[in-house]
Amino acid sequence: MALEIVLITGMSGSGKSVALRALEDAGYYCVDNLPPELLGAFVALEQQASAERVAIAVDVRSATSLPQVPAQLRALRQQGVVLQSLFLDSTTETLVRRFSETRRRHPLSTNTALDQQHALVEAIELERELLADLREHAQVIDTSVIRASQLQAYVKSLLSAPASQLTLVFESFAFKRGVPVDADYVFDVRMLPNPHYEPGLRDLTGRDEPVIAFLRRQEDVQRMYSRIEAFLDEWLEPLARDHRSYVTVAIGCTGGQHRSVYLVEQLAAAFGARWTTRRRHRELDGR
C-alpha cells in the first residue's frame, strides 16, 4: 500500500497546530516543523517501517530551505507517494490580532523596530512572499473567521476525497465578514431577491424547504445558477488536465444565510454526479 502524506504549511498563527491535531485524531503519524532537508530521508524511513499515513508540518521557521520543497514534492509523487498539500491562510488583520492577543513573537520579527505593530505587519507580508510557491500548489483553507472545531472538520472533509481526482469545494459566505482568501472563484449574489425580508423566512437558511421554494420561484436566482453552472462546466475539465487537486468556488450574499447557501447546495448536488464535491457554509457551520 502506497504511503499517504499530508503536508501542512501556511501562515504563522493560521491554525497549523489545530490542523495537525485533527490529523493525529484521524490516525496520522504527525511531525511538526520538519526541516525540508530531512524530508526525503524521513519519507524513506517511514516507507521502510511500512507506515501508511503521515502528516508533516513545514513552516517559515525553515525559511532558507523552503525553495527546496516543491521539487522534493514532485520527486515523492514520482516515487508513488500519495501526497496532499494543505495551506492555512488568514488575513493580515486577523494574524495581527492573534499575535497581539497571545503576545507571541512572529518567527520573522525582529526586536529592533520601534513600532511593533508595523514590524509585525512587515513580518507577515515577508512570510507571504516566502511561502507563495507552496501556497500556489496547495489547497488553501481560510481560517480568518472560523473556529478550531470548524477547521478540524474542514481538514478531515478534504482528506476524505480521493487524492488523484479534482475536488470541487463550494463555499457560502457573508460579504460583511470578508471574502474567503481560499477562493479560486467568487460569485456575488447580493443582487438576488433576499428571503431575509420575508418574515416567515428570515430565521431559516438556504437549506430549509420554505426558503428553497421561495428562491426557486425567482427567475433571477435560476438565471444566476445557470450562469455559474455553465462557467464551471466549461472550465473544470481544463483545470483537471492542469493537475489541479482542488477548486474552491465561493458564493457570497449579505449574511451568508439564504441565497449563497441555497446556491451552494444546488450546485454541489448537481456537480456531485460528475466530480468529487465538498460544501462549506462559513457562517452556518459550527452553529
Side-chain angles (χ1 to χ4, degrees), residues 188-265:
D188 182 352
V189 300
R190 287 176 290 184
M191 77 294 291
L192 300 179
N194 192 351
H196 175 79
Y197 297 109
E198 301 292 325
L201 305 179
R202 179 172 299 178
D203 295 330
L204 302 179
T205 77
R207 293 182 291 195
D208 292 316
E209 189 56 42
V211 174
I212 293 171
F214 171 85
L215 291 172
R216 277 180 177 162
R217 293 194 298 269
Q218 310 302 319
E219 183 179 342
D220 285 349
V221 174
Q222 298 314 307
R223 190 161 64 250
M224 175 66 77
Y225 171 88
S226 297
R227 296 294 190 274
I228 297 174
E229 182 183 41
F231 175 83
L232 294 175
D233 271 335
E234 181 174 356
W235 293 108
L236 284 179
E237 285 289 355
L239 286 166
R241 289 197 298 271
D242 194 43
H243 307 291
R244 290 287 296 272
S245 297
Y246 299 92
V247 173
T248 298
V249 179
I251 301 177
C253 59
T254 306
Q257 179 177 336
H258 297 110
R259 296 161 292 180
S260 59
V261 171
Y262 167 81
L263 286 167
V264 161
E265 290 290 328

Side-chain angles (χ1 to χ4, degrees), residues 7-12 16 33-37 39 57-74 87 108 126-135 137:
L7 181 71
I8 301 285
T9 62
M11 299 295 293
S12 302
K16 295 188 298 298
N33 193 29
L34 181 74
E37 298 93 335
L39 182 58
V58 174
D59 58 40
V60 79
R61 287 174 289 181
S62 302
T64 58
S65 307
L66 288 176
Q68 304 175 19
V69 176
Q72 291 174 317
L73 299 182
R74 288 193 295 269
F87 188 101
L108 296 181
L126 174 59
E127 183 177 25
R128 289 196 191 283
E129 294 180 18
L130 293 172
L131 297 177
D133 199 22
L134 290 177
R135 189 185 193 281
H137 297 92

Side-chain angles (χ1 to χ4, degrees), residues 62-178:
S62 302
T64 58
S65 307
L66 288 176
Q68 304 175 19
V69 176
Q72 291 174 317
L73 299 182
R74 288 193 295 269
L76 290 174
R77 288 191 174 99
Q78 292 171 358
Q79 296 170 21
V81 174
V82 178
L83 180 62
Q84 297 187 69
S85 182
L86 303 181
F87 188 101
L88 275 60
D89 203 353
S90 291
T91 64
T92 297
E93 180 184 7
T94 298
L95 295 174
V96 168
R97 187 185 71 249
R98 289 175 182 171
F99 274 102
S100 299
E101 289 174 349
T102 61
R103 298 188 179 181
R104 289 172 51 204
R105 182 174 176 270
H106 191 282
L108 296 181
S109 66
T110 64
N111 295 320
T112 58
L114 295 177
D115 184 348
Q116 294 301 315
Q117 178 90 353
H118 180 70
L120 178 55
V121 171
E122 286 190 340
I124 291 170
E125 295 309 316
L126 174 59
E127 183 177 25
R128 289 196 191 283
E129 294 180 18
L130 293 172
L131 297 177
D133 199 22
L134 290 177
R135 189 185 193 281
E136 180 68 23
H137 297 92
Q139 164 63 15
V140 180
I141 302 177
D142 181 6
T143 69
S144 302
V145 296
I146 64 174
R147 295 187 292 274
S149 58
Q150 288 177 272
L151 174 57
Q152 291 176 334
Y154 286 174
V155 169
K156 292 176 182 178
S157 173
L158 286 172
L159 296 181
S160 66
S164 60
Q165 301 176 14
L166 182 145
T167 297
L168 186 56
V169 181
F170 290 101
E171 179 175 10
S172 68
F173 71 95
F175 271 97
K176 65 183 181 182
R177 299 184 72 199

